[in-house]
Amino acid sequence: MSRPSMLRWAPWVATAVAAALTGYVAGRSSRGAPPREDPSVAQTVHGHSHGGAHAEAAGAEGAEVEAWTCSMHPQVRLGEPGSCPICGMDLIPVADSAASDESPTDVTLGERARTLARIRTAAVTRGSGLNGDLQLLGRVETDERRLHAVTTWVAGRIDRLHVQVTGERVRRGQAIATLYSPEVYAAHQDLLAAQRVLTRLANATPPARTAAEAGLEATRERLRLLGITDATLVALEGTARPQRQVVIRSPFAGTVITRDATEGMTVGAGAPLYHVADLSRVWVQLDAYERDLPALAVGQEVSLQVAALPQARIVGSIAFIDPVVDARRRVARVRVEVENPDGQLRPGMFAEARVSAAQTTETGEPDALLVPATAPLFTGRRSVVYVELDDVNGVRTYRARVVRLGARRGDVYPVLAGLREGERVVVEGAFALDADLQIRGGDSMMAQSDDRTPGLYDELVPTPTAFRVQLARVVEAYLALQEALAADDLDAASAAAGLLSRSLDGPAAELPASTIAAWREVEAPWREAANEAETASSLADARRAFHAISQALERSLDVFGNVGATPLDLVRCPMARSGAGATWVQRSAAIANPYFGPSMATCGESLRTLEPTP
């Protein structure tokens, strides 16, 4: 089809495709009073119209058009109407999210839309331990402590190999090779000569006989140093002529893993002839990703299964966890030691390991918040879940929220930050919601920053329970200071700053060594500014100190999370501090500006909500 012909049909095709894409959102409406079902359907379809309806669509929505996109390729963003450079379809307007009634993280669906999108939710629950199992893959390897090399003690030529094939089992003391060695031949000659001298001096003086005995013992010791055993040495002393060949025996029992020698080859002293391994105990080297490491510990029992032994129950224990993560594969080796008396486990076999994860989470808490494994959409280190908010006359709102999760445990993930117990999250249909948000230019999963960009919850560190309780008192004192300044109450502000200063004395003693440095970074500016606020003689002085206190609190929230039981809002007022702008933290309620007080109490906008960190 020619391009003019394609463009004539494009408006009709585009309308049909857009209707199909947005059919599941037929019940969407703005966050105000929801309309009836049919008008919402018309509104949704109209918002995705094509062709000559560009201006009409933008005007009907009452939003300023800043970009144009393609309903089939939402990654396309152009500053003016036209055709999609990928498929040729007419572009549709993308309304400015700031001018829209809907939040850039919200999707609203009516009952029919939820049915079409197959939306299903589940509550965030708290479990007493994580009972899911961690599954890892690995391979059977030889126990390095039971791998030995059978070597020659002297240089020579291999005349015969008694063990010909790899995989053959050998006994301790078994003859494995016959070696021609000029050095052993010469030493044997010296031994026989020393014996003859001693025989001739049988009736000689004691000093002469003692010297002859010493010479004989020296030749014996020389042969011992060449690897000749005492039993072989007795046999050599009983021969009439020196032996040209010497038998090499294995000092180890096991299975021949490699054969390094062949008949007729010349070898030097110390050259390996065979590598023998005792396979009565083997290693299973598992690959564990970074997120799995906190759930693993030395001594932990591991259940193994190999394809060659489907009915066998193989149990081992973790003996070692590699302290270094492979920079390319992003895994660390986890060594499991397994008894293998019958030799059924053979090096090179693949194994699937199941590790019981009924233990505490990374935060050290015995109870963890859990979400179903189907809820999160992963963007790298961070994840996005859709939280179900309100239900107004059958219309429900779903909000995209960044969360931080621990390692998967069976069918659930532990929640480290971003969710509260009892909240409902989407466990089926999240991709449909994210696709709609992406088409509208909202903060969908695809809009999140990548792993190399700093983001929410990246710096969280483990916090003991006692520390969280004390730190919560510090945060409460801060909130009292913020509310006092918002009310222009200098006396209450001074009292709250004093309480804040005294509350800082406790938490440091409860921190483990791994996080003490993070606390010191927050505490020093916090304490200094709190003292200034307590002794301030005017509201202006108290507010200057409050700015430094707020910066320290923001840093604390980044590192230790929201240790309280309720959400907190991070709010910014661009007019504070003589137009330089300032941020503060307050309870999630109406904005109460601590920099202007009642004169401009509502000046500011909420940047983000900080959910309690489990």
Side-chain angles (χ1 to χ4, degrees):
M1 181 183 293
S2 65
R3 181 172 179 81
S5 176
M6 179 180 69
L7 293 178
R8 284 198 304 270
W9 285 97
W12 300 96
V13 176
T15 302
V17 173
L21 284 172
T22 59
Y24 76 91
V25 290
R28 288 181 47 204
S29 67
S30 65
R31 299 178 66 184
R36 295 190 304 272
E37 192 68 27
D38 290 342
S40 68
V41 175
Q43 179 185 4
T44 304
V45 175
H46 179 72
H48 290 78
S49 61
H50 293 70
H54 291 311
E56 180 184 354
E61 294 292 339
E64 179 185 354
V65 176
E66 288 189 349
W68 299 78
T69 187
C70 174
S71 58
M72 291 297 293
H73 302 93
Q75 69 271 25
V76 174
R77 288 289 190 274
L78 298 179
E80 58 185 7
S83 300
C84 175
I86 299 176
C87 64
M89 293 175 57
D90 285 353
L91 301 179
I92 61 174
V94 178
D96 180 12
S97 60
S100 173
D101 288 337
E102 277 189 309
S103 165
T105 61
D106 289 359
V107 177
T108 55
L109 300 181
E111 183 178 356
R112 179 172 176 236
R114 293 196 302 272
T115 302
L116 292 173
R118 299 180 180 178
I119 300 297
R120 191 170 68 85
T121 62
V124 179
T125 59
R126 186 176 294 278
S128 56
L130 300 173
N131 298 317
D133 290 339
L134 187 64
Q135 295 183 359
L136 303 174
L137 295 178
R139 61 211 159 276
V140 180
E141 293 183 0
T142 303
D143 187 338
E144 294 176 0
R145 298 166 300 186
R146 295 169 176 258
L147 179 62
H148 310 284
V150 180
T151 63
T152 63
W153 289 51
V154 293
R157 183 188 68 245
I158 298 176
D159 286 346
R160 182 183 177 188
L161 288 178
H162 301 284
V163 178
Q164 296 283 349
V165 294
T166 301
E168 187 174 342
R169 294 190 178 185
V170 296
R171 304 179 307 276
R172 183 189 298 272
Q174 178 180 338
I176 59 174
T178 300
L179 182 75
Y180 164 72
S181 173
E183 191 174 1
V184 172
Y185 178 74
H188 192 192
Q189 278 184 323
D190 293 342
L191 174 68
L192 296 180
Q195 282 182 315
R196 288 192 295 268
V197 170
L198 182 62
T199 301
R200 287 196 300 268
L201 296 177
N203 298 321
T205 62
R209 185 173 178 81
T210 300
E213 290 176 350
L216 177 60
E217 185 61 30
T219 58
R220 289 171 177 166
E221 186 63 23
R222 179 184 174 190
L223 284 169
R224 290 191 186 100
L225 294 176
L226 293 177
I228 304 300
T229 64
D230 288 340
T232 304
L233 190 60
V234 172
L236 292 178
E237 290 180 358
T239 60
R241 291 185 300 176
Q243 296 288 333
R244 295 179 178 273
Q245 295 177 323
V246 60
V247 176
I248 306 297
R249 299 182 182 277
S250 173
F252 314 106
T255 303
V256 176
I257 301 299
T258 57
R259 180 172 66 86
D260 303 301
T262 56
E263 290 184 355
M265 71 181 297
T266 301
V267 295
L273 304 181
Y274 302 90
H275 283 88
V276 177
D278 179 5
L279 300 181
S280 61
R281 177 183 292 177
V282 294
W283 288 351
V284 177
Q285 295 280 20
L286 304 176
D287 291 333
Y289 288 98
E290 296 172 74
R291 63 176 180 270
D292 300 328
L293 293 177
L296 302 174
V298 174
Q300 200 168 7
E301 185 177 284
V302 178
S303 176
L304 299 166
Q305 185 175 10
V306 296
L309 306 169
Q311 305 300 326
R313 183 179 182 272
I314 305 170
V315 178
S317 61
I318 296 178
F320 176 78
I321 299 176
D322 200 328
V324 179
V325 175
D326 188 297
R328 181 176 60 87
R329 300 172 58 224
R330 309 310 305 163
V331 296
R333 292 181 305 168
V334 177
R335 182 198 307 158
V336 178
E337 294 186 355
V338 182
E339 297 294 335
N340 187 37
D342 52 4
Q344 289 184 311
L345 292 177
R346 307 182 183 194
M349 282 183 170
F350 283 103
E352 181 179 346
R354 188 178 296 272
V355 184
S356 176
Q359 54 188 312
T360 60
T361 66
E362 291 89 330
T363 59
E365 298 292 338
D367 293 337
L369 291 182
L370 307 176
V371 293
T374 56
L377 305 178
F378 290 96
T379 63
R381 288 179 297 177
R382 292 172 288 277
S383 309
V384 173
V385 299
Y386 278 85
V387 181
E388 186 178 71
L389 300 181
D390 48 8
D391 186 338
V392 181
N393 297 332
V395 177
R396 296 180 185 174
T397 300
Y398 301 92
R399 175 166 297 172
R401 186 183 296 171
V402 177
V403 297
R404 179 171 165 181
L405 306 175
R408 179 170 177 169
R409 303 292 182 266
D411 296 330
V412 298
Y413 281 98
V415 180
L416 303 184
L419 291 171
R420 299 193 303 273
E421 184 178 1
E423 288 187 306
R424 299 195 67 83
V425 296
V426 175
V427 295
E428 286 186 14
F431 275 107
L433 298 176
D434 198 79
D436 179 69
L437 199 60
Q438 183 184 358
I439 289 175
R440 294 192 291 108
D443 295 337
S444 68
M445 174 185 68
M446 301 302 294
Q448 300 298 322
S449 58
D450 59 26
D451 282 0
R452 288 173 286 186
T453 303
L456 196 61
Y457 306 131
D458 284 352
E459 300 181 78
L460 283 181
V461 297
T463 52
T465 303
F467 169 76
R468 293 170 61 87
V469 172
Q470 293 180 332
L471 186 56
R473 296 177 187 149
V474 178
V475 176
E476 283 298 320
Y478 169 89
L479 295 174
L481 175 59
Q482 177 264 325
E483 292 167 357
L485 292 177
D488 280 353
D489 190 338
L490 181 59
D491 292 338
S494 177
L499 177 60
L500 175 60
S501 181
R502 292 188 297 274
S503 300
L504 292 171
D505 294 333
E510 300 297 332
L511 274 180
S514 60
T515 54
I516 188 67
W519 169 249
R520 293 302 184 195
E521 179 186 352
V522 173
E523 179 204 19
W526 221 345
R527 188 182 298 276
E528 181 179 354
N531 291 334
E532 292 180 7
E534 183 180 9
T535 59
S537 58
S538 66
L539 285 171
D541 293 340
R543 283 166 175 152
R544 277 192 295 269
F546 176 76
H547 174 64
I549 297 173
S550 293
Q551 289 181 314
L553 177 61
E554 288 184 46
R555 178 60 183 161
S556 173
L557 292 171
D558 288 338
V559 177
F560 303 111
N562 178 6
V563 297
T566 58
L568 299 175
D569 277 354
L570 180 63
V571 185
R572 176 174 177 80
C573 175
M575 299 178 63
R577 302 176 59 240
S578 301
T583 57
W584 71 90
V585 177
Q586 66 173 55
R587 292 184 174 87
S588 296
I591 291 176
N593 193 314
Y595 292 96
F596 289 111
S599 61
M600 295 179 62
T602 60
C603 178
E605 61 175 345
S606 177
L607 301 180
R608 59 186 169 99
T609 299
L610 304 166
E611 300 294 335
T613 304

